[in-house]
Amino acid sequence: MKIASDHYPQGLGKALGFLVGALVLGTSFPHLLKSLMGALPWRYVILSTSALAALGGCAMVLLVPDGAERKPAQALNPAAFIQSFGNRQFRAAAFGYFGHMWELYAFWAFVPVMLTTYNARFIAADLNVPLLSFLIIGAGALACAGSGIISKYKGVKNVAVLALTISCTCCLVSPLFLFAGSAGAMIGFLLVWSTAAIADSPLFSTLVAQNADQQLKGTALTIVNCIGFAITIISIQLIAALRTAENARYIYMLLAIGPVWGLMALINGRNTNKG
């Protein structure tokens, strides 16, 4: 994200939309590998994704130059990051991102669980869990690219608010669709939820980058992302600990806590709409 911001000081929302879209495809790709590998041991999926990650790192080193807006490297400065929270717009963007992360990775983690549970309840459905998991999660890549493009015309904050509102609604109405009689309705609902849950991710990163002190942009993005991913551990573990066969239809409503928090932060923070 820091490298992208160095290359695209203008139109950063669009650039990060394509970048995070690639991340989404990478997240979904192991499910596709599992589907293609069939009965092979799960270790082959780990080995394949590890090899691809190593190739990606090499491609970054060899093929991606420094951007024109790159500033001299600064040492990681947690104190300066804390000072950044004195900026209301930066604080709102960061808190919005934290709320978004509460929902996103927990949703991704439990997509295969939702599909497996549906198969257990409706044996005749016989859903291909790995392939559907890939399609549902991977659909978010198009949402990221689309939200980045739209943000150039409608404003980064406006598009982020819309996406977060839709994903929050999906959390709250999930009991109406999960494990209902129609597999098509459930899969369609999960596709909508997946696209809404990730569409705002590049936009939050854009808002954080735009509202951080430009000399501390790398530090700000690093620590905001670290806190965001730490939050995902909490939400995933909470859902896993509380989920039972009896509440499996309702437990994912807890994911709405994050979008509600994020919406409150965005609405109250009066972030910039620049894209």
Side-chain angles (χ1 to χ4, degrees), residues 100-165:
H100 151 79
M101 290 296 280
W102 171 271
E103 174 196 14
L104 178 62
Y105 275 82
F107 170 74
W108 279 350
F110 283 95
V111 164
V113 177
M114 297 174 191
L115 296 172
T116 300
T117 303
Y118 189 92
N119 273 344
R121 296 195 178 197
F122 303 95
I123 298 176
D126 193 25
L127 300 178
N128 186 330
V129 173
L131 180 59
L132 284 174
S133 297
F134 164 73
L135 294 174
I136 290 168
I137 297 172
L142 296 176
C144 288
S147 67
I149 294 171
I150 295 171
S151 69
K152 291 192 65 175
Y153 306 98
K154 299 298 183 180
V156 174
K157 177 189 171 185
N158 293 335
V159 180
V161 168
L162 176 61
L164 204 56
T165 300

Side-chain angles (χ1 to χ4, degrees), residues 49-63:
T49 53
S50 299
L52 289 170
L55 289 174
C58 292
M60 287 290 294
V61 172
L62 298 174
L63 303 177

